Amino acid sequence: MNEQTVKIVDIKKLTSRIKSFRLVSANGKKLAPFSPGSHVAVEITLEKKVRRNSYSLCSSPYETDFYEIAVLLAEKSRGGSQYLHQISVGTELNIGFPKNSFTLASLARKHILIAGGIGITPLLSMLTTLSRYQTTFELHYTAKSQTECAFYEFLKQKYGSQVTFYFSEKDERLSSNKILKEQPLGTHIYLCAPHSLSDNFYAEARALGYPDLAIHREIFGAAKTNNKKPFTVVLSQSGKEITVPKDKTLLAALETAGFPVNYSCRVGGCGACELGVLAGEIHHLDSYYSPEERAKQNCILSCTSRAKSKQLIIDL
Amino acid sequence: MSNSIEAIKKFPFPFTSDSYKYSVNIQPVTNEALFDVNEHYNSEIELRDRILQKGHKGRYVALPHMKEAQWDTLEMIMNDLATWYPESFSLTQNGDRWIWENKKLNLKDTFTFLDESSLPYQPFEYISRQVPEDIMLLDQREGDLFVDAGILMFPTLWSLGFNAGMSFEEIHTPVPRAHQMGVFKKAKAFLMRVQIGKPWTRRNWTMTINRRLETSFETYPEWGKDRSTVTLENCGEKVHLRVEVQRFARLPRSNALMFPIHTYLISLNELSTNPAWTRQLHQVLKNLPADLIEYKGLSRYYDTVLTWLSHKHEVKALF
């Protein structure tokens, strides 16, 4: 994946654990424009292993001479965020074309954006578009404290009363009920927050009667499963058998074995890496399928989901 | 206005096997233009202009929320034409100030990107008047695709007035067989995942009597009757294979899907200069199920065409 080559021209420390990076084209080609809510895959090579981390584009969709991403130094970093936190201005990176699995609903009458911590990142480009078209929106943004709240000054200055901050250190809590009830028909909700907060808003919105299609979720970090087991897959077309070790995804194992699969978000949210399953029991770990679709046990998102049985036969 | 030998050689013959199967049959576009500027460019642009002069109803539509998609389309088409046909088109970008030159139409305009008032038409209308392709813009929202903008001059028996605002599956309701096969569900899922910088293409076909590009519902009284005029004697001249080369490209800022359709016509006489094509078209038509013959509107001249092709085929085989 070297769809775009970029060079870091500026690094800012936004909080103790979040850094932002300004990226410009490194080869004279124009950067691809993008839609609000988009992310790019950033290729990071560590100890000869290539990994791809997805980061939301925080910059304006109307100014694509540069991209900006913000990276949280993960507590249990697999090395990706640690690497980005160490590099300096001038470093070149290979990145993918922008992809979007968290789009603004074009016909929504009002948009409610909920951000938890680093979850603010995909919402920033949405805000640019919403304010450009003067669409009604509210942003509710929770962080540990004001100093740990990335883009605090920027948001306050630019969007004023349309933004409400909640600092957990001061015991300020978002009330999903208070925020979601008594909103006009045609309101859409965008959730980019840790699982617990996101789930809470989702459940509240459903209970209040929001249609499923009016609730949009961006998943950052795939669902954690503590005891990942290795399994094997058999490719039905060639009969080839591939082992998926416990620390590797099915998608990555297939890539290593020379069977590249289409992908986009790599955290089980977009459906791009779907594969048909002919036999075996699937352990669904994605946030893409409905319960009905899961029960059918006939397809798998290879970036996150695994096998309950020892083996899966996949249609590839 | 027939095809030159060169155009016949380049004709996008749609079949790769002897039996016609419904499938998504979609291929990546690599290293070629999305829009085709060929020997028919000026005559087709003039024809499109004449049709549009009679009124926009059923020909051009752009719902208000498609503004971003309109500019996306303008940007993508200008870049495509300037890249692939630099002798005829050029685009100069100084920040938001853009200069567009179309030498084929003797036109040079300076405008401000994203400022609609700087163009004589809406951005989508402005640029789509300069390409021979029909273009649909599909908004992607709520797990579906909606035809929320489009320009349509050369339809094959469908109507923008009727289809505008419809979802993907609603539009395809009249197509026989494919629904049962789940083709549209899969096609839709595929289209929703088309990525920036990775366009796709597929070919669709039918037949048309006379070299007529405009075959809409609205003008059926003008051309429908031509279908009963086919004889063995005039078949080669009158009957045309009609191929739509469709493209699918993700529009980057709006996340909408651009779906340009280029329509090509080739008479059976022209087509039969290639014996392999003659043989394959004959086989495909012979194997075509009855409901598809009806859906494609071939019923009235189907037998005549088969006979004509089999003669051609046999005559070639004799020599």
Side-chain angles (χ1 to χ4, degrees), chain A residues 3 30 35 62 106 133 288, chain B residues 68 93 139 193 198 252 255:
Chain A
E3 291 164 349
K30 272 192 259 179
S35 53
Y62 305 99
S106 51
Y133 286 96
Y288 175 74
Chain B
E68 301 258 306
Q93 293 162 289
D139 190 29
R193 284 172 203 155
K198 294 177 186 169
N255 200 45

Side-chain angles (χ1 to χ4, degrees), chain A residues 136-177:
Chain A
T136 317
F137 72 88
E138 292 172 13
L139 168 66
H140 299 270
Y141 179 10
T142 179
K144 199 174 159 212
S145 64
Q146 192 178 314
T147 48
E148 293 302 310
C149 182
F151 303 101
Y152 174 78
E153 287 300 335
F154 167 81
L155 290 167
K156 213 175 148 77
Q157 210 169 63
K158 194 154 179 208
Y159 302 112
S161 63
Q162 288 160 297
V163 189
T164 315
F165 297 95
Y166 306 80
F167 300 123
S168 55
E169 214 177 56
K170 287 188 176 167
D171 220 23
E172 296 165 348
R173 306 275 169 204
L174 290 89
S175 160
S176 52
N177 183 272

Side-chain angles (χ1 to χ4, degrees), chain B residues 119-136:
Chain B
L119 281 171
Y121 306 100
Q122 289 192 335
F124 177 47
E125 181 175 351
Y126 175 77
I127 196 60
S128 54
R129 277 169 165 261
Q130 299 180 45
V131 287
E133 280 80 5
D134 285 326
I135 307 170
M136 300 301 121

Side-chain angles (χ1 to χ4, degrees), chain B residues 5 14 55 64 85 104 127 161 163 177 212 233 254 261 272 317:
Chain B
I5 291 169
Y85 315 96
K104 287 206 167 265
I127 196 60
N163 288 126
R177 282 163 189 266
R212 181 179 175 114
E233 289 67 43
S254 58
I261 306 161
S272 67

Side-chain angles (χ1 to χ4, degrees), chain A residues 16-38:
Chain A
S16 66
R17 283 174 57 219
I18 299 173
K19 277 187 177 178
S20 73
F21 300 82
R22 183 176 281 228
L23 315 170
V24 300
S25 171
N27 55 13
K29 283 189 194 166
K30 272 192 259 179
L31 294 177
F34 63 93
S35 53
S38 294

Side-chain angles (χ1 to χ4, degrees), chain A:
Chain A
M1 177 204 69
N2 46 2
E3 291 164 349
Q4 305 194 85
T5 308
V6 294
K7 189 168 75 183
I8 300 173
V9 289
D10 190 26
I11 302 175
K12 279 201 187 86
K13 195 162 182 181
L14 302 180
T15 73
S16 66
R17 283 174 57 219
I18 299 173
K19 277 187 177 178
S20 73
F21 300 82
R22 183 176 281 228
L23 315 170
V24 300
S25 171
N27 55 13
K29 283 189 194 166
K30 272 192 259 179
L31 294 177
F34 63 93
S35 53
S38 294
H39 62 265
V40 289
V42 177
E43 195 176 281
I44 295 162
T45 309
L46 286 173
E47 293 155 14
K48 288 183 187 160
K49 278 187 191 164
V50 179
R51 87 172 74 238
R52 294 178 188 97
N53 285 10
S54 290
Y55 295 104
S56 297
L57 293 168
C58 310
S59 41
S60 163
Y62 305 99
E63 218 179 322
T64 44
D65 301 343
F66 65 91
Y67 289 158
E68 203 160 81
I69 58 170
V71 178
L72 170 76
L73 180 62
E75 266 167 37
K76 284 178 192 157
S77 172
R78 290 176 303 166
S81 67
Q82 212 169 57
Y83 169 78
L84 289 174
H85 268 250
Q86 283 165 4
I87 58 175
S88 51
V89 168
T91 309
E92 287 194 6
L93 294 169
N94 285 332
I95 66 173
F97 285 127
K99 294 176 181 177
N100 200 342
S101 45
F102 192 47
T103 54
L104 280 173
S106 51
L107 292 182
R109 288 172 63 198
K110 181 173 179 180
H111 304 261
I112 298 182
L113 284 57
I114 310 292
I118 192 68
I120 187 65
T121 52
L123 304 180
L124 291 164
S125 58
M126 292 181 162
L127 292 172
T128 311
T129 298
L130 291 174
S131 65
R132 181 186 177 91
Y133 286 96
Q134 299 177 335
T135 316
T136 317
F137 72 88
E138 292 172 13
L139 168 66
H140 299 270
Y141 179 10
T142 179
K144 199 174 159 212
S145 64
Q146 192 178 314
T147 48
E148 293 302 310
C149 182
F151 303 101
Y152 174 78
E153 287 300 335
F154 167 81
L155 290 167
K156 213 175 148 77
Q157 210 169 63
K158 194 154 179 208
Y159 302 112
S161 63
Q162 288 160 297
V163 189
T164 315
F165 297 95
Y166 306 80
F167 300 123
S168 55
E169 214 177 56
K170 287 188 176 167
D171 220 23
E172 296 165 348
R173 306 275 169 204
L174 290 89
S175 160
S176 52
N177 183 272
K178 218 166 114 186
I179 291 167
L180 298 179
K181 76 171 182 194
E182 287 173 34
Q183 292 290 358
L185 272 178
T187 297
H188 280 240
I189 306 164
Y190 303 81
L191 304 171
C192 194
H195 278 278
S196 54
L197 185 63
S198 180
D199 287 350
N200 166 271
F201 267 80
Y202 181 78
E204 185 66 37
R206 293 296 286 146
L208 287 168
Y210 282 81
D212 212 21
L213 291 168
I215 312 168
H216 311 265
R217 297 223 255 181
E218 176 78 319
I219 308 303
F220 60 92
K224 296 280 181 290
T225 169
N226 291 327
N227 49 347
K228 281 185 184 160
K229 288 189 199 116
F231 62 101
T232 60
V233 288
V234 178
L235 311 188
S236 66
Q237 281 162 30
S238 58
K240 199 171 159 58
E241 197 173 307
I242 293 164
T243 304
V244 184
K246 66 175 184 189
D247 60 347
K248 215 170 191 177
T249 65
L250 170 55
L251 176 63
L254 288 168
E255 282 171 342
T256 310
F259 295 91
V261 174
N262 189 22
Y263 70 87
S264 179
C265 75
R266 295 183 88 97
V267 289
C270 75
C273 64
E274 177 182 86
L275 295 171
V277 176
L278 306 172
E281 200 186 343
I282 306 160
H283 187 19
H284 287 292
L285 296 164
D286 60 89
S287 45
Y288 175 74
Y289 292 123
S290 66
E292 296 77 37
E293 287 169 321
R294 277 167 200 233
K296 282 189 194 158
Q297 289 279 318
N298 62 0
C299 39
I300 185 167
L301 291 195
S302 57
C303 69
T304 39
S305 294
R306 308 184 66 84
K308 273 186 185 157
S309 50
K310 284 199 173 122
Q311 192 179 72
L312 294 178
I313 299 175
I314 57 176
D315 186 12
L316 189 74

